Structure formats: structure tokens, C-alpha cells
Amino acid sequence: MARRFRFGVNFLEAASGQEWATKCQYAESLGYDVLLVPDHLGWPAPFPSLVAAAQATTHPRVGTFVLNVGFWNPALLAREVATTDRLTAGRLELGLGTGYVRSEFDDAGLPFGTRGSRVDHLERTVTEVRRLLGDPAHTPRPEQNPHPPLLLGGNGDRVLRMAARHADIAAFAGAEHVEGAPDGGLRMLDADRLDERVAACLDFAGDRTPQPELNILVQRVVVTDDRAEAIEGLRPYAPHLTEDQLLRVPMLLHGSVGAIADQLRAHRERFGFSYYTVLEPSMEAMAPVIARLREEEG
């Protein structure tokens, strides 16, 4: 059976305490299952933001989407994770990634290294944090046993193998690094290439039961009855893709509420994506789609 849909919103904008509480409560009222915070310099700090989000709401889980492990020492990260999980009453989901923006490493005074060395550090971090939190003698103890659900985000084979072995959730940005591109430059994948990446992850998972939940990051949601106009507005996100390709990628959602709901069901059938994360600017646009799917799922 297909997994039930889950929806997360990735908050990008800092706010005062009351403003933060208000927008988290609003996201909860719109039906979001998970309130998420990324890990970029100049954006909100993840763990205090998640504690505040949990204190302001009742039901949604909270999570990092995703932590740049290059910023983190595994032992210190384990302490942050355990404390945050306790302070959020076991609502934390831990998302980890390698980090990809060189200027952020430079600003933090940390070595950027190579893609391979960043994946090495991700692997060490995953192994060590799982070991520490799984040790009954480790203090503080997380609320969830042995540790919060783990989400791993990436696109390359090594990260997908890690996700297949260790993650509860495998997250796909639907983009790949472009050699020689400006700092942090990414290029959106077409549907066939994304399909291949998902298939590789599931192949690496083999007969593991259950297999990881599959997440996709949606770059923009446009609710409209004029799909041609919507496509023109989406071209800047992927100028290298044809109109037909733009219509088929799950990272860009466009059309009427019913049409987008149909797209999500089709993407779940084709790729296996049941957990969708939208960026904060698309939070309201996605809400009627969430309501439509909730009504259908009962």
C-alpha cells in the first residue's frame, strides 16, 4: 500500500518570538505535519527555532531540513539533538546533509574540502550520533528511543547508500551540483534522472523493511487555471528544461487545486514520494491541496 501523504514547510525567514509562534500556529492550522528549519548562515538557528515551534503548537513534528554537518562536531550535535528532542516532547526529526555552499564554510572559518571529504564527515557524523544516542549511558537522553527519526538529504550514490542503510527518510532536492558553477550552484534534474536516483536509493536498500520514507523538496507551488502562464513563471527555476519536462518534475507544482492533487498522487505512484516539503513562500498556496488530499484519504 502507498504511504499516506505528509507535508512539511521549511521556514526561511527570521522573526521575533511572537511572530515565530504566530506563523508556526498558522502552518499548523493549514494542515502541515512537520515544521522545518534549514541550516544556513544568515538564516534562523535551527535548534532554538524548533523548540519555539514546538512550544507554540500542539501536533506538528519539528525538524532540521537539513543540518550542514560541516558546522557540527558529532558529540556536540548529539547533545543538541537529545536536548531538543526532550524539550519538544519527542517531536524532533533530525535531517542531515553535507553542506554545499563554500562561502558559508569560509565565513565560519571551516575547511570546505572536497565533495568526498564532506561525505566522509557526514558518514562519521551519522555513525557517531547514532552510537552516542543509542548508548543508554549517554546524557542527556533523547525522548525518542533510541533516537529521533533520521532524514538524510543528497543525490550522489554514497549519500543514497547511507540513506538506504540508516535513514528513516531519504530526502531528494531534485537537483545536482554543477561543476564550475557559482557558489552553491545547483541544476534541477528532469523527471527521468530523478527517477533513476530514487531507483538507485531503493536498490541500495535491498530487502530492508521498512524501506525509507521518500521526501521531495518542492521549489514552488502555483495554483492557477492557466497552466501556460504558470509554466512561463517557472522557467527561471530550470531554464535548461523543456516545457514538457517542466510539466513532469515534482519539484514544481502548478495548476488548479485538483490538478496539483492529481500530480502528487501521480508522483507518489511513479517515484514513491509521500512526504512533500514546500518552502515558506509556498506555504499558503499548498494549503488547499493538503486539505483536498486529507479529505480524500479520510
Side-chain angles (χ1 to χ4, degrees), residues 6-8 25-35 60 287 290-291 294:
R6 288 206 303 157
F7 297 94
Q25 291 163 356
Y26 185 45
E28 180 176 25
S29 75
L30 294 177
Y32 284 93
D33 302 286
V34 195
L35 310 180
I290 295 174
R294 290 278 186 266

Short mmCIF file of all heavy atoms in Angstrom, two decimals, residues 6-8 25-35 60 287 290-291 294:
data_model
loop_
_atom_site.label_atom_id
_atom_site.label_comp_id
_atom_site.label_asym_id
_atom_site.label_seq_id
_atom_site.Cartn_x
_atom_site.Cartn_y
_atom_site.Cartn_z
N ARG A 6 2.46 13.11 3.79
CA ARG A 6 2.85 14.04 4.85
C ARG A 6 3.37 15.31 4.18
O ARG A 6 3.93 15.27 3.08
CB ARG A 6 3.97 13.46 5.73
CG ARG A 6 3.55 12.36 6.66
CD ARG A 6 4.46 12.30 7.89
NE ARG A 6 5.87 12.13 7.56
CZ ARG A 6 6.87 12.48 8.38
NH1 ARG A 6 6.62 13.07 9.54
NH2 ARG A 6 8.13 12.26 8.02
N PHE A 7 3.20 16.43 4.88
CA PHE A 7 3.60 17.72 4.32
C PHE A 7 4.38 18.52 5.35
O PHE A 7 3.96 18.64 6.51
CB PHE A 7 2.37 18.51 3.86
CG PHE A 7 1.61 17.83 2.76
CD1 PHE A 7 0.53 17.00 3.05
CD2 PHE A 7 1.99 17.99 1.43
CE1 PHE A 7 -0.16 16.35 2.04
CE2 PHE A 7 1.31 17.34 0.42
CZ PHE A 7 0.24 16.52 0.71
N GLY A 8 5.52 19.05 4.91
CA GLY A 8 6.33 19.91 5.76
C GLY A 8 6.52 21.26 5.11
O GLY A 8 6.45 21.40 3.89
N GLN A 25 1.90 28.50 14.35
CA GLN A 25 0.49 28.17 14.60
C GLN A 25 -0.32 28.23 13.32
O GLN A 25 -1.22 27.41 13.10
CB GLN A 25 -0.07 29.13 15.66
CG GLN A 25 0.51 28.90 17.04
CD GLN A 25 0.29 30.08 17.98
OE1 GLN A 25 -0.24 31.12 17.59
NE2 GLN A 25 0.73 29.93 19.22
N TYR A 26 0.00 29.19 12.46
CA TYR A 26 -0.70 29.30 11.19
C TYR A 26 -0.42 28.07 10.32
O TYR A 26 -1.33 27.50 9.71
CB TYR A 26 -0.29 30.58 10.48
CG TYR A 26 -1.03 30.87 9.20
CD1 TYR A 26 -2.42 30.73 9.12
CD2 TYR A 26 -0.36 31.30 8.07
CE1 TYR A 26 -3.10 31.00 7.95
CE2 TYR A 26 -1.03 31.58 6.89
CZ TYR A 26 -2.40 31.42 6.84
OH TYR A 26 -3.08 31.69 5.67
N ALA A 27 0.84 27.66 10.27
CA ALA A 27 1.19 26.46 9.50
C ALA A 27 0.44 25.23 10.03
O ALA A 27 -0.04 24.40 9.25
CB ALA A 27 2.70 26.23 9.54
N GLU A 28 0.34 25.13 11.34
CA GLU A 28 -0.42 24.02 11.92
C GLU A 28 -1.88 24.09 11.49
O GLU A 28 -2.47 23.06 11.12
CB GLU A 28 -0.32 24.06 13.44
CG GLU A 28 -1.08 22.92 14.13
CD GLU A 28 -0.90 22.91 15.63
OE1 GLU A 28 -0.62 23.96 16.22
OE2 GLU A 28 -1.06 21.82 16.22
N SER A 29 -2.47 25.29 11.49
CA SER A 29 -3.87 25.43 11.11
C SER A 29 -4.09 25.08 9.64
O SER A 29 -5.19 24.68 9.24
CB SER A 29 -4.36 26.86 11.38
OG SER A 29 -3.86 27.79 10.42
N LEU A 30 -3.04 25.23 8.80
CA LEU A 30 -3.13 24.91 7.38
C LEU A 30 -2.98 23.41 7.11
O LEU A 30 -3.14 22.98 5.96
CB LEU A 30 -2.08 25.69 6.59
CG LEU A 30 -2.23 27.22 6.55
CD1 LEU A 30 -1.07 27.85 5.80
CD2 LEU A 30 -3.56 27.62 5.93
N GLY A 31 -2.63 22.66 8.13
CA GLY A 31 -2.57 21.21 7.97
C GLY A 31 -1.18 20.63 7.82
O GLY A 31 -1.04 19.43 7.51
N TYR A 32 -0.13 21.42 8.05
CA TYR A 32 1.23 20.89 7.89
C TYR A 32 1.56 19.92 9.02
O TYR A 32 1.24 20.15 10.18
CB TYR A 32 2.24 22.03 7.82
CG TYR A 32 2.20 22.70 6.46
CD1 TYR A 32 1.40 23.81 6.22
CD2 TYR A 32 2.92 22.16 5.40
CE1 TYR A 32 1.33 24.39 4.97
CE2 TYR A 32 2.85 22.73 4.13
CZ TYR A 32 2.06 23.84 3.92
OH TYR A 32 1.98 24.40 2.67
N ASP A 33 2.24 18.84 8.65
CA ASP A 33 2.61 17.79 9.58
C ASP A 33 3.95 18.04 10.25
O ASP A 33 4.21 17.53 11.34
CB ASP A 33 2.69 16.44 8.86
CG ASP A 33 1.40 16.06 8.18
OD1 ASP A 33 0.44 15.69 8.89
OD2 ASP A 33 1.33 16.15 6.93
N VAL A 34 4.83 18.77 9.56
CA VAL A 34 6.18 18.97 10.06
C VAL A 34 6.59 20.42 9.82
O VAL A 34 6.42 20.95 8.71
CB VAL A 34 7.21 18.04 9.37
CG1 VAL A 34 8.52 18.02 10.16
CG2 VAL A 34 6.68 16.62 9.22
N LEU A 35 7.15 21.07 10.86
CA LEU A 35 7.68 22.42 10.77
C LEU A 35 9.20 22.31 10.75
O LEU A 35 9.80 21.74 11.66
CB LEU A 35 7.21 23.26 11.96
CG LEU A 35 5.70 23.24 12.24
CD1 LEU A 35 5.37 24.11 13.45
CD2 LEU A 35 4.91 23.67 11.01
N PRO A 60 2.17 19.28 15.13
CA PRO A 60 3.21 19.02 14.13
C PRO A 60 4.52 18.55 14.75
O PRO A 60 4.89 18.97 15.85
CB PRO A 60 3.40 20.39 13.46
CG PRO A 60 2.18 21.17 13.78
CD PRO A 60 1.73 20.69 15.11
N ALA A 287 -1.76 24.88 0.86
CA ALA A 287 -2.74 24.52 1.88
C ALA A 287 -4.02 23.90 1.32
O ALA A 287 -4.49 22.87 1.83
CB ALA A 287 -3.06 25.73 2.75
N ILE A 290 -3.39 20.32 0.36
CA ILE A 290 -3.31 19.45 1.54
C ILE A 290 -4.72 19.11 2.01
O ILE A 290 -5.04 17.94 2.30
CB ILE A 290 -2.51 20.14 2.67
CG1 ILE A 290 -1.05 20.34 2.24
CG2 ILE A 290 -2.59 19.34 3.96
CD1 ILE A 290 -0.23 21.15 3.23
N ALA A 291 -5.59 20.12 2.09
CA ALA A 291 -6.96 19.89 2.54
C ALA A 291 -7.68 18.92 1.62
O ALA A 291 -8.42 18.02 2.08
CB ALA A 291 -7.72 21.20 2.63
N ARG A 294 -6.28 15.39 2.27
CA ARG A 294 -6.72 14.89 3.58
C ARG A 294 -8.18 14.40 3.52
O ARG A 294 -8.54 13.38 4.09
CB ARG A 294 -6.60 16.00 4.61
CG ARG A 294 -5.18 16.37 4.97
CD ARG A 294 -4.60 15.41 6.00
NE ARG A 294 -3.28 15.88 6.42
CZ ARG A 294 -2.13 15.49 5.90
NH1 ARG A 294 -2.14 14.61 4.91
NH2 ARG A 294 -0.99 15.96 6.33
#
